[in-house]
Amino acid sequence: MKTSTYLASTWGIPRLDSSASRPDQLRAKPDEFVNFTHIPVKNTFRLVRFLKKNLTRINTLISRGELRTVLAASVEALPEDAKYKKGEIIHALAGGSIHRRLKVYGAATGGFSVVYTVLDGDTMEPYCLKAPRDPLANESDVDRIAREARTWITLGKHPNIVYAHSLLEINGCINILLEYISGQTLSARIKQSGLSLREVLRYAIQLCRGIDYAQKKLPGLVHGDIKPGNCLLTTDGVLKLTDFGQVRSFVPDYDISKDQVPEKSYALPRNWAAGTPAYMAPEQFDAANKTDLRSDIYSFGVTLFEMLTGAKPFSGYEHEECFQQHKSVAPPDVRSISPDVPARLADLVMSCLSKSRRNRPLDFATIERELSTILLDVFQETVNPVGPEALTEEHWLNRGASLIVLKLYEEALASLDHALRLNSQSTLAWTLKGKALALIGSADEALACLKHAADSDPIWPFAWSEASGVFAQFGDHEPALRCSDRAIALDKNSPSFWSNRGSIFALKNQFEPALNCLQRAVVLDPHSAVTHLRLGNLHFQQHQLAEAMKSFKLAINLNPLSQEARCNLAKVHSSLGSNQETIEVCREALGLWPGSTEFLNMLQVAYRAFYRKRKQLPQIEETCSPADFLVEGHDADFVLSRCQSLLLENDYDPAVFYLCAVELHRAAKTLRTPQKGELLETLAKVGRRLHPDGADRRTFYWLGRLFYRMKCYDECMETFRQCSESFGPDDDTLYYLAACYEINGDLEQAVRHYEQALVFDPQCRLSRYAIRRVAARIAEAAESRTNLAEFA
């Protein structure tokens, strides 16, 4: 029987587009592929693979110096916001199907990401895994990560750019697997021992070549964050540029399978101010300006100045201070600090640091030629360019797998066909091609490819796992289970195999075996959002609401942008009659997906039920409510007028205020001064009626947030103090109290409350940043007092 759309959605089983018809051949000949499951696994295959795998490991350990540096890492404590700890295994999917186990050996945090040093347990290959730093705030974060990932993959291989090996999918989010560089950053090298003039020229030429290649490969690309900290040095003296996270908003769409890019140059979007202030061009600080590759040239000039002198041209640290210096202050002459710098090189630095973009060099190729001429004149030396590397089977396989992660299936198929032309027996290429074909709806072709992979390597488990998924698309549960059994027999430690098997049992309404498989998957990988979602769906089907709620919350914690998990959590609360909890889940979801019909409908039902219960209205009122206008979408004037009328009719009942709070908060952004006065008067009347006996924590919370939005910080503090005294402290209460203390200048109290908020939510980046910010202000104030005392 064909799998229903509801079940396919609920259990995460891949299914065809709704417009695609089910191939008749699949129903007619399901055993053409499945009969292969009866062929026994030959021990010879197992022995040969075991010997090859371990021989590869031994040779790698002996020959790879950088691998020894990874294994000898002594870092015990990773950054606080690192999700994985040292020694943990990161389970990832390459191409959406190939399971990879990456053991964590270290981590470092950046502005938007955590970069883990990992080791692939199968190949003994070290990598750097760039993962999102925090739970994603909204879908624009997904777009940013996808854009950076596309940039990395399009750039391909260049000797002066860190190579992106492939893209991996972890909890619905793209992670970038980068080559591991065992050396140090250019920044660390400058601080540690400084650079000779010869080294400066060599590294600067290589940096120019890397940027020039990137900007020719993607016309219009602006790196946005060129600095010594984003330049890695290998042990044999090669410089590699890294971190393309800032190009996300202004690299246009392009066909990366055909390397087609637009001819026109693209400017930065408005309100863009990313980068590192000490290295940013003057125009980058002003969001109204259009920024092009000459902004990167300015950042390169700051970097070159630091390479030559050991110091940046300007001493500013804070954003505003840096802006004023880069905009108005002339940089010092390089030769005033380092007299041995050739005049021609010093002039080049000053040209790059020109305040006017028109006076900077045209491009990095021009700068590279000038630097090469100086190197030849001074040292009679050249830096020979390295030609492009031949595109190997591995390159096309990684590219194809990455394009599947990016959901660019046609492009992925083209790359995988390239790999198969180089090696027609590539088991991985046939498996990935089968995956891509299944995702575009070509089920029979997919099964043929997977059969080819299984024929080529009888103990390759992923072909069987993918075949299981194809059969499960169409409700062919028995062949799906038989393929799944074969995959697990070949690899019993793959959490995705157990999770997929559990989902098939769930589709067959076999609760116990489904539960056993999913629990086994959780033991193998407790960080899988998909498995927790499937567990939640299984418990929900069995009306085990408490267990379902727990699993859905875990899934959301691991993947905050799981719309299905949030929707099902709202349904659990609704089933329990918890209207306020349903409201909160829907409000948070609508903050992520504004205008979502499903969440708006659930929110409206919850509003009606909540209002009817509070007002003790008869059942007939279920079809309409005075609060229905709150989910219909209106301008600020209308919302304020209706909310005030509704509150007045209900004598400023805090429960009615709670219903109106989100729309009032949204409307407060655009209210005119007279309207703000009316709103503050309304909030004050609600506050006078707000008591713990008649309201809960959420009502206090929304009132406090509105006072904060209206810049009434004393009222905000009083509201959150009452909330804390009545219901106990939590992270939100403590954070808003800390923010008010900071605004009022009581920095010691601010730090203390931010630290307490961090105890309740250790992953909160806002609290962590606030602690650093306020601590810096306290230190600055103390230094000023000391200087004043010394002067006196």
Side-chain angles (χ1 to χ4, degrees):
M1 182 175 180
K2 186 177 178 181
T3 306
S4 70
T5 302
Y6 170 74
L7 287 176
S9 173
T10 301
W11 296 102
I13 298 295
R15 64 177 187 277
L16 302 182
D17 187 89
S18 58
S19 61
S21 61
R22 181 179 185 279
D24 294 334
Q25 299 94 322
L26 185 60
R27 173 65 69 182
K29 303 177 182 178
D31 290 335
E32 183 178 352
F33 184 96
V34 179
N35 283 343
F36 192 73
T37 60
H38 298 299
I39 297 178
V41 178
K42 297 181 179 179
N43 291 331
T44 304
F45 279 104
R46 291 185 183 276
L47 179 60
V48 170
R49 174 165 288 183
F50 175 81
L51 292 174
K52 283 184 176 180
K53 182 176 178 180
N54 284 278
L55 184 60
T56 301
R57 287 180 171 183
I58 293 171
N59 289 334
T60 304
L61 282 168
I62 294 173
S63 61
R64 298 287 296 275
E66 69 271 25
L67 179 58
R68 292 193 292 273
T69 64
V70 172
L71 296 175
S74 60
V75 179
E76 297 297 336
L78 300 190
E80 292 179 356
D81 42 4
K83 178 179 177 182
Y84 298 94
K85 304 305 177 186
K86 184 176 179 181
E88 286 190 325
I89 302 296
I90 300 176
H91 296 271
L93 291 177
S97 60
I98 310 302
H99 181 223
R100 301 193 67 165
R101 303 173 179 89
L102 306 172
K103 188 172 183 179
V104 176
Y105 280 85
T109 57
F112 296 99
S113 61
V114 178
V115 180
Y116 296 96
T117 301
V118 298
L119 191 67
D120 188 311
D122 293 328
T123 64
M124 295 300 288
E125 188 77 20
Y127 297 101
C128 288
L129 181 70
K130 186 172 184 179
R133 180 173 183 174
D134 291 310
L136 303 180
N138 49 55
E139 289 192 309
S140 67
D141 285 348
V142 177
D143 296 337
R144 172 180 58 80
I145 293 171
R147 192 174 290 276
E148 179 185 2
R150 292 176 67 177
T151 301
W152 278 108
I153 295 302
T154 305
L155 289 175
K157 277 193 174 184
H158 185 275
N160 300 122
I161 292 178
V162 172
Y163 174 56
H165 179 274
S166 58
L167 306 181
L168 302 178
E169 183 179 342
I170 303 175
N171 287 333
C173 188
I174 298 172
N175 290 246
I176 306 172
L177 196 65
L178 304 166
E179 69 171 310
Y180 173 76
I181 307 297
S182 60
Q184 59 185 167
T185 65
L186 179 59
S187 177
R189 176 66 185 281
I190 293 171
K191 294 176 182 178
Q192 181 180 353
S193 59
L195 299 171
S196 66
L197 179 60
R198 187 193 301 265
E199 289 175 318
V200 169
L201 292 168
R202 286 174 177 171
Y203 288 142
I205 289 169
Q206 294 181 68
L207 180 54
C208 284
R209 287 175 179 171
I211 307 171
D212 183 59
Y213 165 83
Q215 292 179 336
K216 287 179 178 176
K217 188 77 171 178
L218 294 172
L221 179 146
V222 182
H223 183 280
D225 198 18
I226 293 174
K227 60 182 179 181
N230 282 336
C231 299
L232 303 180
L233 306 179
T234 68
T235 53
D236 54 354
V238 177
L239 180 144
K240 291 177 177 282
L241 178 65
T242 187
D243 194 356
F244 287 83
Q246 306 296 353
V247 304
R248 64 195 185 281
S249 296
F250 42 90
V251 176
D253 292 335
Y254 40 79
D255 185 342
I256 62 180
S257 67
K258 302 176 183 178
D259 290 333
Q260 292 178 348
V261 294
E263 296 179 357
K264 62 183 290 189
S265 177
Y266 280 70
L268 290 169
R270 294 182 62 84
N271 301 323
W272 184 87
T276 304
Y279 298 89
M280 286 165 59
E283 62 270 17
Q284 280 182 263
F285 291 89
D286 187 349
N289 288 326
K290 292 184 177 181
T291 310
D292 55 28
L293 64 85
R294 290 171 294 179
S295 300
D296 279 348
I297 289 176
Y298 184 94
S299 299
F300 171 81
V302 179
T303 300
L304 185 56
F305 187 102
E306 188 173 355
M307 292 166 69
L308 290 166
T309 66
K312 293 183 279 291
F314 304 111
S315 59
Y317 179 77
E318 295 295 335
H319 192 278
E320 185 63 29
E321 183 182 9
C322 287
F323 171 51
Q324 293 301 326
Q325 292 178 343
H326 286 292
K327 180 181 178 182
S328 307
V329 179
D333 191 329
V334 173
R335 288 167 294 181
S336 66
I337 303 173
S338 300
D340 295 335
V341 174
R344 190 171 179 178
L345 180 56
D347 292 341
L348 177 62
V349 174
M350 298 302 289
S351 174
C352 292
L353 291 175
S354 173
K355 308 296 182 188
S356 170
R357 283 179 286 179
R358 291 192 298 270
N359 297 329
R360 298 173 199 160
L362 293 176
D363 52 38
F364 280 95
T366 303
I367 300 173
E368 191 244 316
R369 287 193 295 270
E370 181 70 6
L371 291 169
S372 297
T373 301
I374 296 171
L375 179 65
L376 183 62
D377 290 346
V378 176
F379 296 104
Q380 293 74 52
E381 180 182 321
T382 59
V383 178
N384 294 324
V386 180
E389 297 184 25
L391 299 180
T392 63
E393 175 193 352
E394 181 185 14
H395 166 81
W396 291 113
L397 287 171
N398 292 334
R399 187 179 178 89
S402 300
L403 290 166
I404 291 174
V405 173
L406 290 169
K407 297 181 172 60
L408 301 173
Y409 304 124
E410 296 292 346
E411 294 89 335
L413 288 170
S415 293
L416 294 169
D417 284 339
H418 276 292
L420 288 170
R421 281 195 285 271
L422 295 172
N423 178 10
S424 62
Q425 299 304 313
S426 172
T427 306
L428 179 56
W430 284 114
T431 304
L432 291 172
K433 186 173 181 179
K435 175 73 174 183
L437 287 168
L439 290 169
I440 63 174
S442 301
D444 287 337
E445 293 180 65
L447 287 175
C449 291
L450 296 170
K451 177 70 162 57
H452 201 300
D455 284 337
S456 301
D457 187 349
I459 61 172
W460 174 252
F462 301 105
W464 299 102
S465 177
E466 283 306 313
S468 174
V470 175
F471 285 115
Q473 288 180 1
F474 304 106
D476 294 320
H477 300 144
E478 291 305 321
L481 275 176
R482 288 157 61 190
C483 289
S484 177
D485 289 344
R486 184 60 179 270
I488 290 175
L490 294 170
D491 185 356
K492 295 181 180 180
N493 295 317
S494 172
S496 62
F497 291 178
W498 287 102
S499 182
N500 292 339
R501 190 169 187 261
S503 70
I504 298 171
F505 277 123
L507 289 172
K508 296 182 66 177
N509 294 317
Q510 296 182 14
F511 174 75
E512 289 298 333
L515 181 63
N516 291 336
C517 290
L518 293 173
Q519 288 177 339
R520 172 68 174 167
V522 168
V523 170
L524 291 170
D525 180 14
H527 298 290
S528 172
V530 170
T531 302
H532 287 294
L533 173 60
R534 289 172 172 173
L535 263 175
N537 289 332
L538 184 65
H539 288 303
F540 194 28
Q541 278 186 341
Q542 299 297 314
H543 304 288
Q544 298 171 349
L545 300 183
E547 292 84 351
M549 186 188 305
K550 180 180 178 182
S551 294
F552 289 141
K553 287 182 177 179
L554 283 170
I556 294 169
N557 184 53
L558 291 164
N559 181 9
L561 293 182
S562 174
Q563 196 164 354
E564 182 182 351
R566 291 185 185 273
C567 182
N568 289 348
L569 179 60
K571 290 177 181 177
V572 170
H573 285 307
S574 180
S575 299
L576 291 170
S578 304
N579 297 315
Q580 206 162 359
E581 285 75 10
T582 306
I583 290 170
E584 288 298 320
V585 173
C586 292
R587 282 176 171 177
E588 190 172 351
L590 288 167
L592 296 170
W593 304 286
S596 168
T597 303
E598 189 168 21
F599 286 110
L600 282 171
N601 290 340
M602 285 193 290
L603 182 62
Q604 188 172 47
V605 172
Y607 274 169
R608 291 172 181 171
F610 181 81
Y611 187 81
R612 187 177 66 253
K613 184 176 180 180
R614 295 290 299 188
K615 303 303 293 180
Q616 298 181 350
L617 297 175
Q619 189 69 20
I620 195 173
E621 292 288 340
E622 186 175 358
T623 58
C624 62
S625 166
D628 279 354
F629 76 93
L630 294 170
V631 297
E632 294 171 0
H634 299 282
D635 59 33
D637 291 344
F638 179 85
V639 167
L640 179 61
S641 174
R642 288 298 307 272
C643 286
Q644 286 177 324
S645 298
L646 187 61
L647 285 166
L648 180 61
E649 293 169 8
N650 290 275
D651 196 22
Y652 300 95
D653 182 357
V656 176
F657 162 76
Y658 170 74
L659 291 180
C660 302
V662 171
E663 290 302 318
L664 287 173
H665 192 269
R666 187 178 295 115
K669 296 180 182 179
T670 57
L671 292 179
R672 298 183 297 275
T673 301
Q675 294 173 312
K676 289 181 180 179
E678 294 177 15
L679 178 56
L680 285 175
E681 185 178 347
T682 299
L683 296 180
K685 292 177 180 178
V686 172
R688 286 193 286 271
R689 290 209 50 192
L690 195 61
H691 298 287
D693 295 337
D696 64 4
R697 181 191 293 275
R698 294 185 184 90
T699 309
F700 279 90
Y701 168 73
W702 281 106
L703 183 62
R705 278 194 66 180
L706 265 165
F707 277 130
Y708 189 85
R709 169 61 63 86
M710 303 296 292
K711 299 183 180 180
C712 298
Y713 302 116
D714 291 338
E715 291 83 353
C716 176
M717 290 182 72
E718 181 59 30
T719 302
F720 280 112
R721 280 199 192 101
Q722 289 183 36
C723 182
S724 182
E725 291 171 0
S726 303
F727 305 102
D730 66 351
D731 55 317
D732 289 322
T733 300
L734 291 165
Y735 182 86
Y736 276 99
L737 283 172
C740 291
Y741 278 122
E742 182 181 358
I743 290 169
N744 290 338
D746 192 343
L747 302 183
E748 298 290 346
Q749 285 283 5
V751 167
R752 187 168 67 85
H753 280 77
Y754 281 132
E755 290 173 344
Q756 291 175 352
L758 199 60
V759 172
F760 282 90
D761 184 6
Q763 301 302 318
C764 180
R765 188 173 69 177
L766 290 175
S767 295
R768 190 174 292 111
Y769 282 179
I771 292 170
R772 296 172 186 166
R773 178 182 66 245
V774 179
R777 289 181 61 188
I778 292 173
E780 183 181 351
E783 183 179 358
S784 299
R785 289 193 297 270
T786 302
N787 293 337
L788 183 61
E790 291 176 355
F791 178 77

